[in-house]
Coordinates of all heavy atoms in Angstrom, one line a residue:
Q2 N 26.8 130.4 -153.7 CA 27.2 129.0 -153.7 C 28.2 128.7 -152.6 O 28.1 127.6 -152.0 CB 27.9 128.7 -155.1 CG 28.1 127.2 -155.3 CD 28.7 127.0 -156.7 OE1 28.8 127.9 -157.5 NE2 28.9 125.7 -157.0
D3 N 29.1 129.6 -152.3 CA 30.0 129.4 -151.2 C 29.3 129.3 -149.9 O 29.7 128.6 -149.0 CB 31.0 130.6 -151.2 CG 32.0 130.5 -152.4 OD1 32.1 129.4 -153.0 OD2 32.6 131.6 -152.7
V49 N 25.9 79.7 -106.1 CA 26.0 78.3 -106.3 C 27.0 77.7 -105.3 O 26.8 76.7 -104.6 CB 26.3 77.9 -107.7 CG1 26.6 76.4 -107.8 CG2 25.1 78.3 -108.6
E88 N 14.4 71.4 -70.1 CA 13.5 70.3 -69.9 C 13.2 69.5 -71.1 O 12.9 68.3 -71.1 CB 12.1 70.8 -69.3 CG 12.2 71.5 -68.0 CD 10.9 72.0 -67.5 OE1 9.9 71.9 -68.3 OE2 10.8 72.5 -66.4
W99 N 36.1 72.6 -78.4 CA 36.4 71.2 -78.3 C 37.9 71.0 -78.2 O 38.5 70.1 -77.5 CB 35.9 70.4 -79.5 CG 36.5 69.1 -79.6 CD1 37.3 68.6 -80.6 CD2 36.3 67.9 -78.8 NE1 37.7 67.3 -80.4 CE2 37.1 66.9 -79.3 CE3 35.6 67.7 -77.6 CZ2 37.1 65.6 -78.7 CZ3 35.6 66.5 -77.0 CH2 36.3 65.5 -77.6
K101 N 40.1 72.5 -76.8 CA 40.7 72.8 -75.5 C 40.2 71.8 -74.4 O 40.5 72.0 -73.3 CB 40.5 74.2 -75.1 CG 41.1 75.2 -76.1 CD 40.9 76.6 -75.6 CE 41.6 77.6 -76.6 NZ 41.3 79.0 -76.2
G108 N 39.5 54.1 -68.4 CA 40.4 52.9 -68.6 C 41.8 53.2 -68.1 O 42.4 52.3 -67.5
I109 N 42.3 54.4 -68.3 CA 43.6 54.8 -67.8 C 43.4 56.2 -67.4 O 42.8 57.0 -68.1 CB 44.7 54.6 -68.9 CG1 46.0 55.0 -68.3 CG2 44.4 55.3 -70.2 CD1 47.2 54.8 -69.3
S110 N 43.9 56.6 -66.3 CA 43.8 58.0 -65.8 C 44.7 58.9 -66.5 O 45.7 58.5 -67.0 CB 44.1 58.0 -64.3 OG 45.5 57.8 -64.0
S117 N 56.3 61.7 -70.1 CA 57.5 62.4 -69.6 C 58.6 62.2 -70.7 O 58.4 61.4 -71.6 CB 58.0 61.8 -68.3 OG 57.0 61.8 -67.3
H122 N 55.6 57.1 -77.2 CA 54.3 57.5 -77.5 C 53.6 56.4 -78.4 O 54.0 56.1 -79.5 CB 54.2 58.8 -78.3 CG 54.8 60.0 -77.5 ND1 54.1 60.6 -76.6 CD2 56.0 60.5 -77.6 CE1 54.8 61.6 -76.1 NE2 56.0 61.6 -76.6
V187 N 17.7 56.8 -83.9 CA 17.3 55.4 -83.9 C 18.0 54.6 -82.9 O 17.4 53.8 -82.1 CB 17.4 54.8 -85.3 CG1 17.1 53.3 -85.4 CG2 16.5 55.6 -86.3
F219 N 30.8 54.2 -79.6 CA 29.5 54.8 -79.6 C 29.4 56.0 -80.6 O 30.3 56.9 -80.5 CB 29.0 55.3 -78.2 CG 28.8 54.2 -77.2 CD1 29.7 53.9 -76.2 CD2 27.6 53.4 -77.3 CE1 29.5 52.9 -75.3 CE2 27.4 52.4 -76.4 CZ 28.4 52.1 -75.4
G221 N 29.0 59.5 -81.5 CA 29.0 60.7 -80.6 C 29.8 60.5 -79.3 O 29.9 61.4 -78.5
G222 N 30.3 59.3 -79.1 CA 31.1 59.0 -77.8 C 30.2 58.6 -76.7 O 28.9 58.8 -76.7
F235 N 23.9 50.8 -72.0 CA 24.5 50.3 -73.2 C 25.9 49.7 -73.0 O 26.3 48.7 -73.5 CB 24.6 51.4 -74.3 CG 23.3 52.0 -74.7 CD1 23.1 53.4 -74.9 CD2 22.1 51.2 -74.9 CE1 21.9 53.9 -75.2 CE2 20.9 51.7 -75.3 CZ 20.8 53.1 -75.4
N240 N 29.3 45.0 -72.2 CA 30.1 44.1 -71.3 C 29.6 42.7 -71.3 O 30.4 41.8 -71.3 CB 30.1 44.7 -69.9 CG 30.9 46.0 -69.7 OD1 31.8 46.2 -70.5 ND2 30.7 46.7 -68.7
Q242 N 28.3 41.2 -73.6 CA 28.6 40.6 -74.9 C 30.1 40.4 -75.2 O 30.6 39.9 -76.2 CB 28.1 41.5 -76.1 CG 26.6 41.7 -76.0 CD 25.8 40.4 -76.1 OE1 26.0 39.6 -77.0 NE2 24.9 40.3 -75.1
S258 N 33.6 69.6 -88.5 CA 33.9 70.7 -89.4 C 34.6 70.2 -90.6 O 35.4 69.3 -90.6 CB 34.7 71.8 -88.7 OG 35.1 72.8 -89.6
V267 N 46.8 67.7 -89.2 CA 48.1 67.2 -88.7 C 48.5 67.9 -87.4 O 48.9 67.2 -86.4 CB 49.2 67.3 -89.7 CG1 50.6 66.9 -89.1 CG2 48.9 66.5 -91.0
E268 N 48.4 69.2 -87.4 CA 48.8 70.0 -86.2 C 47.9 69.7 -85.0 O 48.3 69.5 -83.9 CB 48.7 71.5 -86.5 CG 49.2 72.4 -85.4 CD 49.1 73.9 -85.8 OE1 48.9 74.2 -87.0 OE2 49.4 74.7 -84.9
V281 N 44.6 57.7 -78.4 CA 43.6 57.1 -79.3 C 43.1 58.3 -80.1 O 42.4 59.2 -79.6 CB 42.5 56.4 -78.6 CG1 41.4 55.9 -79.5 CG2 43.0 55.2 -77.8
L283 N 40.9 60.3 -82.9 CA 39.7 60.3 -83.6 C 39.8 60.9 -85.0 O 40.1 62.1 -85.0 CB 38.6 61.0 -82.8 CG 37.2 61.1 -83.5 CD1 36.6 59.8 -83.7 CD2 36.3 62.0 -82.7
P299 N 51.2 62.9 -94.4 CA 52.0 63.8 -93.6 C 51.8 63.6 -92.1 O 52.8 63.7 -91.3 CB 51.4 65.2 -94.0 CG 50.9 65.0 -95.3 CD 50.3 63.7 -95.4
L304 N 54.3 61.8 -87.0 CA 54.2 60.9 -85.8 C 55.5 60.0 -85.8 O 56.1 59.9 -84.7 CB 53.0 60.0 -85.9 CG 51.7 60.7 -85.7 CD1 50.5 59.8 -85.9 CD2 51.6 61.3 -84.3
G306 N 58.3 60.8 -87.2 CA 59.4 61.7 -86.9 C 59.6 62.0 -85.5 O 60.7 62.4 -85.1
L312 N 49.9 52.0 -83.9 CA 49.4 50.6 -83.7 C 47.9 50.5 -84.0 O 47.2 51.5 -83.8 CB 49.7 50.1 -82.3 CG 51.2 50.1 -81.9 CD1 51.3 50.0 -80.4 CD2 52.0 49.0 -82.5
Y323 N 35.2 57.5 -71.4 CA 34.7 58.6 -70.7 C 33.8 58.1 -69.6 O 33.7 58.7 -68.5 CB 33.8 59.6 -71.6 CG 34.6 60.1 -72.8 CD1 33.8 60.5 -73.9 CD2 36.0 60.2 -72.8 CE1 34.5 60.9 -75.0 CE2 36.6 60.7 -73.9 CZ 35.9 61.1 -75.0 OH 36.5 61.6 -76.1

Side-chain angles (χ1 to χ4, degrees):
Q2 188 175 1
D3 291 340
V49 170
E88 294 180 357
W99 166 251
K101 296 181 180 178
I109 180 174
S110 69
S117 302
H122 298 279
V187 174
F219 292 105
F235 301 136
N240 287 339
Q242 303 300 309
S258 174
V267 173
E268 184 178 352
V281 176
L283 174 65
L304 292 172
L312 302 164
Y323 305 153

